Amino acid sequence: MDMSSHSESHYPHDMWVFPDAQSATQDIANKTTSMPGKFKLGLAIAGVLAIVGIVGFILRMLTDGFSGHEAWGYYGAIFSYIFIITSSAPLVAVALRLTKSHWRRPISRISELFALVGVVNVILYIPLIYLLPPINNPNFTQGMHGELQIRKTIWMEVPAGAPHLWDFLGIISLAVLSLIILWVSVVPDLAEARYATKGWRRGLYTLLAGHWYGTKKQWIHQKGSLALLGALYFLMVVFVHFLIVSDYAMSLIPGWKDSILPPLYTITGFQSSLSIILIIAFVMRKWGGYRDYFGTSVFWSASKIQIGLTLLWTYHLFAFFITLWYGRMELEQNILRYLMFESYSWLFWLNVIFIFLIPFWILVWNPVRKTAWGPALAGSFILVGNLMFQIRIFVGAFNAGDIYHLGLFKVPPPVFPDVWDIFMVVGGLGLVAFIYLLGTKVLPALSVWEVKEGAMYQQMGSLYRGEYLILAKPE
């Protein structure tokens, strides 16, 4: 047994919660099937925004078609925004489960449910297949000055299907793998909840739960499978992030070669995915009726990772800048002017303020980190900053000029959104919210088996004049 020397006098009264393991299954099943008025309103708003996005996409397609990628910069930005957040979110459950973090139990299913949005990522990516220009210059003729026969990409030997086929396969692989992780994790809950539900849910739960009876052998296989699948998913998500940002951002700006952008892109995804999970947890705790399952310790513990990722993002941003600035090559200086200090300077500074300065000054104060609202508030700013990052990088890349040129030897002007761009951006956000909200009414939004397991490992005990959390470590 571990004894944590944390006196209640120094912490909020709800720092730790002790759910009733006996009633948790029925309670969460009731919450899954209920449809409160606020939930219906949120679902309706998300549905309307999704329809607006579809309208914007159709009108953009009718106006500009797929012959050129320039007009689709904001579509590429919102796809990237959705993709890096939702593809990174399952890693929160994976990583914290591998490190045996006890406090992560209430947020595990929140992160795994983003696997449902993986299907949306596949659908949203399909138009980008047609928009990504070929690697070989279709207008190249021998002796043409300043033009490349093969534009600079990560696909040096141009294998068959590159880059379109391999990028698409990567996104499909992530979607399938995340759904498998969700299924393996949710099977114990469905096997128990099928006796507490009625109608179509009972049939679906019975089908998905299969022959799960909770034997010792099944539990060992389940936890081993989650560990192996999680490790594979981590490797896959980093690699696919590298493919997307390289092919749809870096390769579209002539002469841009940078080893820092892919890890910066991935860290942005990690930072934002943890942030949106904490926001959802706060909403569930505050208005969703899950207060008995979310102690303040969940937010306090996660905030330490959140501030670490915020500082890591800033370090990589500085590394990105100093590499190009110190080189003093004309095209690299133009890339800095284009993306950071001239064309998109206003967006760059807002990006830094929202994704670093404000969250850092919120999270640096320990009394704020010890609340449920503090990390969630910081996460809200991080999500806004991430959106500005995606717009700056992808809209800039889609409108950088001749992609077959030797380099960026003049700084292009910024491109501002029109009505259809705005429709697609808000519509993309609405579509994700709509799918996720529906998912919480199909599958339990809390990992019941993990919450019940955690309830058996903890209790409050007294020592001298203080009360302390006693936490068992069975593994």
Side-chain angles (χ1 to χ4, degrees):
M1 308 284 276
D2 267 358
M3 185 163 291
S4 176
S5 58
H6 298 319
S7 172
E8 280 196 320
S9 61
H10 298 115
Y11 297 94
H13 69 280
D14 59 351
M15 176 62 74
W16 297 282
V17 294
F18 303 89
D20 182 3
Q22 300 300 320
S23 62
T25 300
Q26 186 63 56
D27 182 44
I28 294 174
N30 292 339
K31 288 179 170 60
T32 303
T33 56
S34 67
M35 293 283 284
K38 292 179 181 178
F39 182 89
K40 291 179 181 178
L41 178 61
L43 191 65
I45 293 173
V48 170
L49 292 178
I51 294 172
V52 167
I54 294 171
V55 171
F57 175 84
I58 293 173
L59 293 175
R60 170 63 71 211
M61 181 176 61
L62 294 176
T63 304
D64 297 285
F66 294 114
S67 57
H69 62 280
E70 294 83 0
W72 293 89
Y74 282 89
Y75 180 84
I78 194 59
F79 163 79
S80 176
Y81 181 74
I82 293 170
F83 170 68
I84 67 165
I85 294 176
T86 58
S87 63
S88 300
L91 282 179
V92 174
V94 166
L96 297 177
R97 190 178 287 130
L98 286 174
T99 56
K100 298 179 174 59
S101 300
H102 175 74
W103 57 266
R104 49 85 190 164
R105 298 177 187 277
I107 63 173
S108 291
R109 184 62 45 74
I110 296 175
S111 69
E112 291 166 343
L113 281 174
F114 277 97
L116 301 175
V117 187
V119 180
V120 177
N121 290 334
V122 174
I123 296 172
L124 292 177
Y125 178 72
I126 292 174
L128 293 174
I129 298 175
Y130 300 96
L131 292 170
L132 185 62
I135 294 178
N136 295 306
N137 188 346
N139 301 316
F140 180 79
T141 57
Q142 293 294 334
M144 183 180 293
H145 178 69
E147 291 287 310
L148 297 172
Q149 183 177 2
I150 300 176
R151 64 186 179 90
K152 296 177 180 179
T153 68
I154 58 173
W155 307 95
M156 292 178 289
E157 299 298 328
V158 195
H164 309 79
L165 174 63
W166 302 107
D167 290 355
F168 190 47
L169 289 177
I171 290 177
I172 291 177
S173 299
L174 280 184
V176 172
L177 192 54
S178 63
L179 286 172
I180 294 174
I181 292 173
L182 172 61
W183 174 67
V184 173
S185 173
V186 82
V187 160
D189 293 347
L190 300 185
E192 191 173 10
R194 59 188 164 187
Y195 302 113
T197 55
K198 300 177 182 178
W200 61 269
R201 283 188 180 84
R202 173 171 287 188
L204 177 64
Y205 289 5
T206 302
L207 175 65
L208 293 177
H211 298 286
W212 178 272
Y213 299 105
T215 64
K216 181 178 179 180
K217 185 177 180 180
Q218 286 180 325
W219 280 112
I220 292 173
H221 286 170
Q222 189 241 21
K223 292 191 175 182
S225 298
L226 286 175
L228 290 174
L229 290 169
L232 178 60
Y233 188 81
F234 173 76
L235 296 175
M236 279 294 300
V237 76
V238 172
F239 178 66
V240 178
H241 283 183
F242 165 71
L243 293 181
I244 295 301
V245 75
S246 297
D247 286 333
Y248 286 90
M250 192 155 43
S251 75
L252 297 183
I253 296 182
W256 189 9
K257 49 185 184 295
D258 185 9
S259 62
I260 305 297
L261 181 64
L264 175 62
Y265 183 76
T266 298
I267 290 168
T268 305
F270 292 172
Q271 183 191 24
S272 299
S273 62
L274 179 60
S275 296
I276 198 170
I277 288 167
L278 292 178
I279 293 170
I280 294 171
F282 176 77
V283 171
M284 290 174 63
R285 183 179 188 266
K286 183 75 173 178
W287 296 289
Y290 289 88
R291 192 177 191 89
D292 292 337
Y293 301 95
F294 289 95
T296 309
S297 62
V298 174
F299 302 91
W300 182 44
S301 301
S303 69
K304 300 171 187 177
I305 303 175
Q306 197 177 22
I307 193 172
L309 289 171
T310 300
L311 293 171
L312 194 60
W313 183 90
T314 310
Y315 166 78
H316 280 80
L317 177 68
F318 176 76
F320 169 88
F321 159 74
I322 200 66
T323 303
L324 299 184
W325 177 82
Y326 193 76
R328 289 294 175 181
M329 295 178 63
E330 180 184 358
L331 66 90
E332 292 179 344
Q333 297 298 298
N334 285 340
I335 291 171
L336 290 180
R337 294 189 184 100
Y338 183 41
L339 298 178
M340 298 175 76
F341 300 123
E342 288 185 13
S343 300
Y344 292 98
S345 62
W346 57 278
L347 200 56
F348 167 71
W349 289 114
L350 287 175
N351 175 199
V352 173
I353 291 170
F354 277 93
I355 209 169
F356 167 62
L357 291 178
I358 296 178
F360 177 77
W361 283 110
I362 291 175
L363 296 172
V364 75
W365 302 104
N366 199 37
V368 177
R369 289 206 309 273
K370 288 183 189 176
T371 64
W373 61 265
L377 178 62
S380 301
F381 287 108
I382 288 170
L383 291 180
V384 174
N386 182 11
L387 181 59
M388 295 176 179
F389 173 83
Q390 304 300 329
I391 291 174
R392 181 170 60 89
I393 296 297
F394 284 86
V395 175
F398 273 57
N399 294 275
D402 184 5
I403 63 173
Y404 298 104
H405 202 271
L406 287 172
L408 190 72
F409 293 111
K410 67 176 183 178
V411 180
V415 174
F416 297 95
D418 59 18
V419 175
W420 311 142
D421 291 326
I422 295 173
F423 278 17
M424 288 189 290
V425 169
V426 299
L429 301 177
L431 180 60
V432 171
F434 185 79
I435 297 297
Y436 191 90
L437 288 172
L438 278 182
T440 63
K441 294 305 173 183
V442 176
L443 301 175
L446 233 60
S447 182
V448 183
W449 68 268
E450 291 189 273
V451 170
K452 293 170 72 173
E453 182 185 45
M456 295 188 296
Y457 295 157
Q458 62 177 8
Q459 69 178 37
M460 293 302 295
S462 300
L463 181 65
Y464 298 109
R465 290 180 295 177
E467 287 193 78
Y468 301 84
L469 176 69
I470 303 172
L471 180 63
K473 294 293 184 71
E475 298 174 344

